[in-house]
Amino acid sequence: MRTTVGIIGAGPAGLLLARLLHNAGIDSVVLESRDRAYVEQRQRAGILEQGTVDVLREAGAAERMDREGIPHDGIELRFDRRRHRVDFPALTGGRSVMVYAQTEVCKDLIALQLAEGGPLLFEAEALAVEGAETDSPSVRFRHEGREDVLDCDYVVACDGSWGVGRKAVPADVSQVFERTYPFGWLGILADVAPSHDELVYARHDRGFALLSMRSPSVTRAYLQVPEGTNAQDWSDEEIWDELDHRLETADGWKLERGPITSKSVTPMRSYVHEPMRHGRLFLAGDAAHIVPPTGAKGLNLAVGDVVTFARALTHRHRTGSTERLDAYSETCLRRVWQAERFSYAMTTMLHRAPDATPFDDRIQRARLDRITASRAAETDLAEGYTGFPLD
């Protein structure tokens, strides 16, 4: 089998890249190790930055998002039982975000790929990337019980942090930058209408809490818990009680409760692999970087990566110049490190470390007070949350 671009992974990054290449007249093949049902059901991010929304619309993949997604013009910060709303459009010249789950983005892109795009092979496990330093790299994979080879001009690895893509970059040219946090997020889905019409980020002495949503009838919420926590150790009543406590306000705001349909724990980690390119192998999304979910950056960073690659390859086909492809890693990493900075700042401002001192607590409150009192500080948060430029 041969194609121009071999794409490993049918998450939102790989699927969107296939769509962008299709629209540019460039052929590709997508290899996904899981089955279609798994890809369309795995719960991940739910906040789309303005740039991601714009890209999906330009790609012709936004019809259902525009119909069912929930536009958000701000978030609410809570601390010391106080509430402060950050108005995104007023601070960013009109930019906002969209609540639309990653599972729904994948469903939309899968349907488009199967109807209009190149081959999308489910249950096709990539085994190795070979010849990355040559002009004819290949992906060895297993599909329907036999091994095969996908010959390409380029390989883009969107196969996550444990995939074969990153392993194909030699250790002697790799640099890893990493921070692991001593806490995680206990996340729930509940069949109850959201208790607030925008996301609520709460800093509390007992730990962070986030009130979010998946739809007008489904609440998504998170609690900071110690690293290694088992989600099943928390009863539904204990989760609601703790959310009630950490989200409490002085004005009598009320948290609505309902049946919890799902609970899981997400670890917190910051990770960057440099470079994001080796020869004709390009890393995208979690294969190259991971951010703690506090800043809602993971999916959006992956989108930025594949947009950068698609534009660079289109430029190569139109002009013959490899300048933009050669600059792929440097271009992406500028945006990646800004997102890492923003996510780290949000995480350390809102989560209470196990060894936090009274001094640390006062610094957190001072940082939050600064946002509520300074338009410049508030604007920095709004610009980071709605997304850094894709150019």
Side-chain angles (χ1 to χ4, degrees):
M1 185 182 297
R2 175 159 186 85
T3 190
T4 301
V5 181
I7 301 171
I8 308 174
L15 291 167
L16 178 59
L17 176 57
R19 179 66 181 176
L20 296 173
L21 295 175
H22 169 77
N23 290 348
I26 301 171
D27 61 296
S28 68
V29 172
V30 183
L31 305 175
E32 168 55 47
S33 63
R34 303 282 192 160
D35 62 25
R36 180 176 179 178
Y38 178 89
V39 175
E40 293 187 338
Q41 293 171 10
R42 57 185 168 193
Q43 293 293 329
R44 293 291 189 272
I47 304 295
L48 308 183
E49 295 174 353
Q50 182 71 64
T52 298
V53 170
D54 294 343
V55 166
L56 289 171
R57 286 172 177 159
E58 292 167 6
E63 180 181 352
R64 195 162 67 93
M65 178 194 73
D66 283 331
R67 185 172 68 249
E68 300 178 10
I70 308 171
H72 274 207
D73 285 340
I75 58 171
E76 184 172 285
L77 298 175
R78 293 188 185 179
F79 62 105
D80 297 338
R81 302 179 71 213
R82 296 156 51 191
R83 307 170 65 174
H84 177 80
R85 181 175 185 268
V86 179
D87 186 333
F88 293 156
L91 296 162
T92 64
R95 296 171 67 81
S96 60
V97 298
M98 178 80 75
V99 176
Y100 191 64
Q102 174 175 313
T103 51
E104 306 310 311
V105 174
C106 287
K107 289 175 186 176
D108 297 342
L109 290 169
I110 287 171
L112 285 169
Q113 184 70 8
L114 293 177
E116 303 174 8
L120 166 54
L121 305 183
F122 290 104
E123 298 181 86
E125 180 188 6
L127 303 174
V129 177
E130 299 172 342
E133 297 175 348
T134 73
D135 291 341
S136 302
S138 62
V139 182
R140 188 160 45 83
F141 67 99
R142 183 183 294 111
H143 184 235
E144 297 180 342
R146 64 183 180 86
E147 283 196 20
D148 204 342
V149 175
L150 176 62
D151 294 312
C152 323
D153 294 332
Y154 305 92
V155 176
V156 181
C158 308
D159 53 344
S161 57
W162 304 110
V164 301
R166 193 169 67 202
K167 295 175 184 176
V169 181
D172 60 354
V173 301
S174 298
Q175 278 190 290
V176 170
F177 305 86
E178 187 172 16
R179 177 181 292 272
T180 301
Y181 299 87
F183 43 75
W185 277 11
L186 170 60
I188 65 164
L189 284 171
D191 285 338
V192 59
S195 302
H196 195 268
D197 57 1
E198 293 177 335
L199 273 67
V200 177
Y201 287 76
R203 186 268 173 207
H204 194 278
D205 286 344
R206 296 167 67 109
F208 167 77
L210 171 60
L211 185 62
S212 182
M213 65 194 69
R214 276 294 178 263
S215 74
S217 61
V218 176
T219 289
R220 182 73 158 154
Y222 300 92
L223 287 168
Q224 176 188 342
V225 293
E227 183 182 19
T229 293
N230 185 337
Q232 303 311 313
D233 291 342
W234 285 70
S235 71
D236 293 4
E237 184 177 5
E238 287 173 328
I239 291 171
W240 286 120
D241 286 346
E242 193 64 22
L243 284 166
D244 233 339
H245 198 89
R246 298 187 194 184
L247 292 164
E248 183 184 15
T249 64
D251 60 5
W253 172 88
K254 180 176 173 54
L255 175 68
E256 299 296 333
R257 303 186 179 203
I260 294 176
T261 59
S262 172
K263 62 177 84 168
S264 61
V265 173
T266 301
M268 306 284 281
R269 183 182 176 212
S270 298
Y271 178 96
V272 179
H273 179 282
E274 296 186 10
M276 289 176 58
R277 176 197 179 186
H278 178 67
R280 295 257 180 137
L281 167 64
F282 297 77
L283 307 182
D286 286 359
H289 42 71
I290 296 170
V291 290
T294 324
K297 291 283 154 262
L299 181 153
N300 296 291
L301 270 185
V303 168
D305 295 342
V306 298
V307 168
T308 299
F309 177 82
R311 290 175 177 173
L313 186 57
T314 301
H315 180 74
R316 164 76 173 84
H317 279 222
R318 289 176 178 169
T319 68
S321 171
T322 64
E323 179 182 7
R324 294 187 184 181
L325 284 170
D326 294 339
Y328 170 81
S329 182
E330 180 183 356
T331 302
C332 289
L333 285 169
R334 282 197 295 270
R335 191 168 183 269
V336 166
W337 277 112
Q338 285 301 316
E340 292 282 357
R341 173 196 64 80
F342 176 77
S343 298
Y344 174 82
M346 289 283 285
T347 300
T348 56
M349 179 174 68
L350 294 166
H351 293 74
R352 194 168 193 274
D355 59 351
T357 66
F359 179 87
D360 298 325
D361 293 335
R362 287 292 188 268
I363 289 295
Q364 285 185 321
R365 290 187 174 95
R367 291 169 67 184
L368 286 160
D369 279 333
R370 177 66 177 168
I371 291 169
T372 65
S374 165
R375 186 176 179 86
E378 193 177 25
T379 298
D380 184 62
L381 188 155
E383 289 179 344
Y385 200 96
T386 56
F388 302 103
L390 291 175
D391 294 330

